[in-house]
Amino acid sequence: MSTSEEQIAELAQVVETLHQQITFLNQQVNNQANDLQAALQANQQAHQANQHVAFALNPIRASTNVIDMTSKDGMKLYKLGLEKVHSLCFDGKPENVNFFRATVHKKALDCGWYDTWGNIFNIVDTSVTPNKTYDIVYQTQEVPLTAIEDFARTNIVNQQNR
């Protein structure tokens, strides 16, 4: 074998070795991509499950926990939830919107509707990635109608506890 043939054979062996290494690395990258995709999907499903909030027509039903109506605290929470937001009725005038929002927000904090019993004011728009969460007290006009409809279908319509 001449020197050039030996060099070609040596280069062919190097190329074959590099090809095998590239194939192996591509498999590793594909495996990692599949693992990441599966983890991302699991994370999104868990995130969506945590975004669903309780909706109720009265405060006693907003909790997934049992409120002991025979206890003083249970009755206090129920009565607090049924009280007016404020002694002044909201007249719908634009100059009174911020006052109304602030009083609803305060009532929600007092009743634990933002944390203890689940955030009942969040609507999650799952049609966008990443999902966007709207606070219906402060972002009323920003919430897409489709997000409200999807939320209602998922969390309210045909739910046994509603």
Side-chain angles (χ1 to χ4, degrees):
M1 230 190 225
S2 70
T3 333
S4 62
E5 290 176 343
E6 289 174 1
Q7 288 174 338
I8 291 173
E10 195 175 302
L11 284 174
Q13 189 176 14
V14 168
V15 168
E16 179 61 28
T17 302
L18 288 173
H19 178 70
Q20 290 173 355
Q21 289 175 345
I22 289 171
T23 302
F24 174 77
L25 290 173
N26 278 336
Q27 289 173 344
Q28 293 294 333
V29 167
N30 286 337
N31 289 343
Q32 288 180 352
N34 290 337
D35 291 346
L36 286 172
Q37 184 65 29
L40 178 63
Q41 286 175 345
N43 188 18
Q44 286 175 339
Q45 289 171 348
H47 179 70
Q48 287 173 355
N50 289 332
Q51 291 297 321
H52 295 187
V53 297
F55 174 83
L57 297 176
N58 67 47
I60 189 105
R61 293 189 182 149
S63 172
T64 56
N65 301 322
V66 176
I67 296 175
D68 183 0
M69 295 299 289
T70 62
S71 74
K72 185 177 178 181
D73 288 338
M75 285 306 295
K76 182 179 174 185
L77 178 63
Y78 182 75
K79 287 179 182 178
L80 180 64
L82 291 178
E83 289 176 4
K84 289 181 179 181
V85 172
H86 194 273
S87 60
L88 298 175
C89 292
F90 177 57
D91 58 10
K93 293 181 181 174
E95 61 267 19
N96 296 329
V97 169
N98 286 335
F99 173 75
F100 174 73
R101 287 177 174 164
T103 55
V104 169
H105 181 78
K106 182 182 181 325
K107 170 94 173 200
L109 290 174
D110 292 345
C111 292
W113 296 339
Y114 268 115
D115 47 22
T116 308
W117 304 111
N119 190 336
I120 66 172
F121 296 106
N122 277 355
I123 299 287
V124 179
D125 184 358
T126 58
S127 69
V128 294
T129 303
N131 293 345
K132 181 162 174 62
T133 301
Y134 296 93
D135 180 325
I136 61 172
V137 174
Y138 289 101
Q139 297 173 297
T140 309
Q141 295 178 344
E142 298 174 37
V143 184
L145 179 59
T146 55
I148 295 169
E149 291 169 341
D150 290 344
F151 178 84
R153 273 192 294 277
T154 304
N155 298 290
I156 302 167
V157 177
N158 298 324
Q159 296 294 316
Q160 292 180 0
N161 60 347
R162 303 295 180 243

